[in-house]
Amino acid sequence: MELRLYNTLTKEKEVFAPLDPARGVRMYVCGPTVYDFAHIGNARPVIVFDVLYRLLRHLYGEGGVKYVRNITDVDDKINARAAQEYPDLPLNEAIRFVTEKTERQFHEDVDALGCLRPDVEPRATEHIREMRDLIDRLVQAGFAYVEQDHVLFEVGTMPDYGRLARRSLDEMEAGARVEVAPYKRNPMDFVLWKPSKPNEPGWPSPSGITTPGRPGWHIECSAMSWKHLGETFDIHGGGIDLVFPHHENEIAQSRCAFHAPIMAKTWMHNGFLQVEGEKMSKSLGNFITIRQLLNDWPGEVIRFNMLRTHYRQPIDWTVKGLEESFDTLASWMGDDFNAGGEAKIAASVQYALLDDLNTPAAIAELHALAKSDPVALGSTLRALGFAHRPESKRTVDTGKVDALIDARLEARRSKNFAESDRIRDELKAMGVVLKDNKDGTTTWEVAR
Ligand code: AMP
Ligand code: ZN
């Protein structure tokens, strides 16, 4: 039985084998930018690659897999949040408060979703030296140039730039915005390093630049994967939105710096998550954090609901789906479910997962086990991260709904729209949909 994984790079399902069996399987997944609670879309890659990690550990042994997922702790959004939240502190200190708090919240959330911690969780700010080293190599080898205290990767120097995203440079240039930064030779050239503005965090710059600067986003992942997995490794994952430009640019940096034909062998991308048929966004009021969902649903139910859809398909996140997931899990895991029992993936379920992580097929096999072999069902559930019987079913607390609606009206009256939107989001996460009527009243219903 072979593991077959769909590779975005070749657009084919390929038989998987580690590049260097002696080093085991090496996997890198792009992690969160830590400035706020992660949303339910962010939970998708975390859960999907956790299932893959568990399957790989089952196949190659616990010591046979190294899973690295980074923490992005350099970002404009972090700086802005820090200045807003701790205006009286020096910015660097405020940033540390924000990133440490958010990282802790992220861990609490994904732990509750039954996800194992990766073997290494590197932070960008702890790998600035490696980033500078990579950038120096790229400049020395003629793949990057310095202009106005920026360092840019020159995409024209790489013949197959665009291979992952399957776009040609000509097409990309045609689609590029008219206004091009003055320090760029080509509109598609991307930033490896940029000067820090006064007050922003800054580090000594590479390539002879004398003023302090900070790294671009893409270089972080090239540096951290290199440090912890080597110049080339087996699997690189993330959401489908990362294919371009993030992963394309990671490939450009790493391959050119190391003169290597590949960065990672297998590129895997999860499809996008939308909520009740709509793109999730703050302006639509359907933005749901993992934390909000965990207030109302056991982590196991959220995890199971995510896995009912194959990872490459788009997923429509609904309250109805959560209710069905609750019922299924509750029927499988009786009062006597023993969290500490044996954990082992049954052969039929393993077989389904070996086919590009086909979790819907695996769930069909779990349904079959529920009828034929409850012991195997329990041990497979535990092995797949379902440790506890889901205890409570979500119920709408009408007193709380009414109080929130009142608070929202109050916020709208005082024109505090950020707060009124936040309250709408909170209600939405409880499954409550608001309707503002023409006569000024607000009514609500439970989404089904
Ligand atoms: P970000 O913090 O935006 O870089 O996202 C962290 C991870 O979550 C990346 O792998 C994204 O591709 C993924 N992601 C973000 N939004 C969604 C979504 N709506 N559905 C699925 N994955 C998402
Ligand atoms: Zn990345």
Side-chain angles (χ1 to χ4, degrees):
M1 282 199 290
E2 291 168 319
L3 171 61
R4 299 192 327 139
L5 297 173
Y6 182 87
N7 188 352
T8 309
L9 197 56
T10 58
K11 282 206 157 43
E12 275 172 23
K13 250 193 238 179
E14 298 168 349
V15 173
F16 176 81
L19 288 166
D20 179 354
R23 293 186 71 172
V25 180
R26 289 166 289 158
M27 173 162 85
Y28 186 92
V29 174
C30 294
T33 305
V34 283
Y35 67 99
D36 204 349
F37 283 106
H39 61 67
I40 185 62
N42 301 137
R44 193 170 192 197
V46 179
I47 294 173
V48 162
F49 290 100
D50 180 68
V51 172
L52 180 58
Y53 182 44
R54 287 170 183 270
L55 178 66
L56 289 167
R57 282 158 59 109
H58 177 75
L59 298 172
Y60 295 93
E62 281 193 16
V65 189
K66 187 169 180 187
Y67 174 20
V68 179
R69 186 183 62 214
N70 70 293
I71 303 264
T72 294
D73 59 354
V74 196
D75 189 277
D76 286 338
K77 292 190 283 270
I78 298 173
N79 301 347
R81 177 60 59 101
Q84 177 200 345
E85 212 166 308
Y86 305 100
D88 302 329
L89 288 184
L91 188 61
N92 276 332
E93 220 170 291
I95 287 173
R96 216 188 55 240
F97 274 128
V98 168
T99 55
E100 281 178 2
K101 180 177 71 178
T102 313
E103 188 181 323
R104 181 175 41 77
Q105 290 163 343
F106 176 74
H107 281 143
E108 289 163 359
D109 287 349
V110 300
D111 288 355
L113 299 178
C115 297
L116 300 171
R117 297 279 179 98
D119 297 291
V120 190
E121 280 195 292
R123 283 189 203 86
T125 50
E126 288 167 9
H127 294 76
I128 304 284
R129 207 163 47 93
E130 286 79 4
M131 295 183 213
R132 272 200 302 266
D133 185 347
L134 279 181
I135 293 170
D136 282 336
R137 290 179 190 220
L138 289 169
V139 171
Q140 275 155 24
F143 294 107
Y145 57 92
V146 178
E147 186 65 52
Q148 297 178 23
D149 290 344
H150 291 67
V151 187
L152 289 120
F153 187 94
E154 186 166 13
V155 292
T157 60
M158 187 185 186
D160 57 353
Y161 181 78
R163 190 170 131 204
L164 180 73
R166 301 201 171 222
R167 301 191 206 182
S168 76
L169 205 47
D170 288 346
E171 277 165 21
M172 288 189 259
E173 278 168 29
R177 264 183 270 145
V178 193
E179 207 176 310
V180 178
Y183 44 79
K184 288 193 181 182
R185 291 183 189 165
N186 178 302
M188 298 313 294
D189 291 352
F190 60 88
V191 169
L192 300 171
W193 189 267
K194 57 191 164 191
S196 297
K197 298 193 190 84
N199 237 334
E200 274 177 0
W203 292 267
S205 294
S207 311
I209 299 170
T210 51
T211 50
R214 56 201 186 107
W217 172 33
H218 316 302
I219 196 73
E220 291 178 13
C221 288
S222 284
M224 290 185 269
S225 59
W226 171 39
K227 169 90 181 278
H228 298 284
L229 296 175
E231 295 180 1
T232 56
F233 51 94
D234 296 293
I235 298 173
H236 194 315
I240 190 83
D241 58 319
L242 298 187
V243 171
F244 193 87
H246 185 52
H247 288 167
E248 191 73 57
N249 292 350
E250 280 187 36
I251 290 175
Q253 296 161 161
S254 295
R255 281 186 48 201
C256 292
F258 306 127
H259 304 281
I262 57 165
M263 177 191 189
K265 185 171 170 214
T266 308
W267 288 80
M268 294 178 67
H269 296 97
N270 63 268
F272 242 49
L273 174 147
Q274 54 172 15
V275 172
E276 307 281 354
E278 284 181 319
K279 184 176 185 307
M280 181 166 51
S281 82
K282 292 211 159 133
S283 60
L284 288 175
N286 62 355
F287 188 89
I288 315 175
T289 63
I290 303 172
R291 185 59 59 97
Q292 287 169 326
L293 268 180
L294 284 169
N295 284 337
D296 298 311
W297 298 91
E300 280 78 13
V301 172
I302 299 170
R303 181 180 178 89
F304 187 79
N305 201 44
M306 197 68 88
L307 296 174
R308 289 169 67 193
T309 306
H310 186 264
Y311 77 92
R312 283 196 284 125
Q313 299 299 320
I315 183 169
D316 188 23
W317 191 263
T318 63
V319 172
K320 183 164 169 286
L322 284 162
E323 281 170 349
E324 290 165 1
S325 296
F326 181 97
D327 291 341
T328 303
L329 278 186
S331 75
W332 287 349
M333 302 161 99
D335 289 333
D336 53 348
F337 185 82
N338 168 13
E342 195 200 22
K344 184 167 177 288
I345 303 175
S348 59
V349 174
Q350 176 184 326
Y351 192 73
L353 294 176
L354 287 173
D355 179 19
D356 192 30
L357 226 56
N358 191 341
T359 53
I363 288 170
E365 296 300 338
L366 290 170
H367 277 290
L369 284 180
K371 298 202 184 84
S372 65
D373 190 347
V375 175
L377 172 71
S379 79
T380 304
L381 283 171
R382 280 186 289 270
L384 293 178
F386 299 94
H388 306 100
R389 174 182 157 75
E391 292 302 340
S392 56
K393 185 157 187 166
R394 181 194 61 98
T395 49
V396 176
D397 174 350
T398 49
K400 189 173 167 198
V401 171
D402 287 335
L404 282 169
I405 290 178
D406 284 346
R408 176 167 168 270
L409 286 176
E410 192 56 49
R412 287 173 57 142
R413 239 176 262 130
S414 52
K415 300 219 177 331
N416 185 351
F417 297 113
E419 172 67 0
S420 73
D421 285 349
R422 192 201 60 74
I423 295 172
R424 177 189 277 272
D425 287 356
E426 190 178 336
L427 285 161
K428 179 94 187 188
M430 292 162 60
V432 172
V433 181
L434 297 183
K435 206 167 140 221
D436 292 318
N437 302 307
K438 284 212 183 81
D439 62 5
T441 60
T442 298
T443 48
W444 60 277
E445 57 180 19
V446 177
R448 290 283 161 207

